[in-house]
Structures are given as structure tokens and as C-alpha cells.
Amino acid sequence: MKKILCLGLMIAFMPFGSANAQMAALNKAKYIATLKVVCDHKMNDEDIVSDLDRLREHEKFRKSLAKMVGKLDNSKPNEAKNQRIMRILERAGREIYNELK
């Protein structure tokens, strides 16, 4: 009887844990999406448009940026560097989201 009760409690709380995981994943996506939309919007900011245009033409910067991005691999999300970058992006997105809401 005790085993059945424990099993019943475990099953009863499984969806709750799953719902929490789903909500956490949605929040993570929400913060990353917020960061992207705000970055895309700010790329047209009058204060930086001319500097961004110069950077786009700067060959050394473009090669350096491509090399840095090449170190990230979306097919290996559990790699330590990818996890650190995602935490940084999520934290920045959360701060922006909270600032703008």
C-alpha cells in the first residue's frame, strides 16, 4: 500500500515538474527573442548606424567575428562555452525585458 501511495504521488507531481520545465524553457526563449528584437531595432539607431556601416566594410573585423561565431555550435548545446553564452544572452534579454515591460 505504501509503495502504491508513493507511486501515485510521483505520478501526480510529474506533470507539475514538466510544466515548470516548459515554463522555464518558454521564459528562456522569451528573453532571447526580446534580446534579438531589441538588437535588430537598435541597429537602426541614428547614433550607431554610420559606425555599423563602417564595421560591415571592415574586413579584419568581419573575419574576426566569423571566427568567434564559428566557435559556437548549435548542434552541441550542452558544450560549456555554448551554455555560458546562452546564460549571458538570457540574462541580458531578461534585463531588457524587465526594463521595457
Side-chain angles (χ1 to χ4, degrees):
M1 178 73 168
K2 195 173 189 179
K3 286 184 182 180
I4 294 172
L5 180 61
C6 288
L7 182 59
L9 287 174
M10 287 174 48
I11 292 171
F13 287 109
M14 285 176 92
F16 181 71
S18 178
N20 282 342
Q22 287 176 353
M23 188 57 145
L26 281 175
N27 280 336
K28 186 178 200 176
K30 174 175 66 176
Y31 298 142
I32 298 295
T34 299
L35 182 62
K36 175 161 181 13
V37 169
V38 170
C39 283
D40 289 346
H41 178 75
K42 295 310 278 179
M43 295 290 275
N44 296 318
D45 191 310
E46 291 178 16
D47 292 339
I48 65 169
V49 164
S50 61
D51 293 332
L52 287 171
D53 288 339
R54 276 188 268 147
L55 274 177
R56 287 182 183 117
E57 295 172 6
H58 194 275
E59 187 67 28
K60 187 175 180 179
F61 172 74
R62 287 191 352 230
K63 285 182 181 179
S64 174
L65 187 59
K67 185 178 177 181
M68 287 187 285
V69 172
K71 293 178 183 178
L72 299 174
D73 186 353
N74 285 340
S75 67
K76 298 178 183 175
N78 292 330
E79 184 182 27
K81 184 178 295 280
N82 286 327
Q83 287 182 344
R84 284 192 306 273
I85 296 298
M86 284 303 292
R87 281 193 301 272
I88 292 167
L89 293 173
E90 183 182 354
R91 185 172 52 246
R94 184 183 322 111
E95 288 179 26
I96 292 169
Y97 179 87
N98 289 335
E99 184 70 27
L100 294 175
K101 72 175 181 178

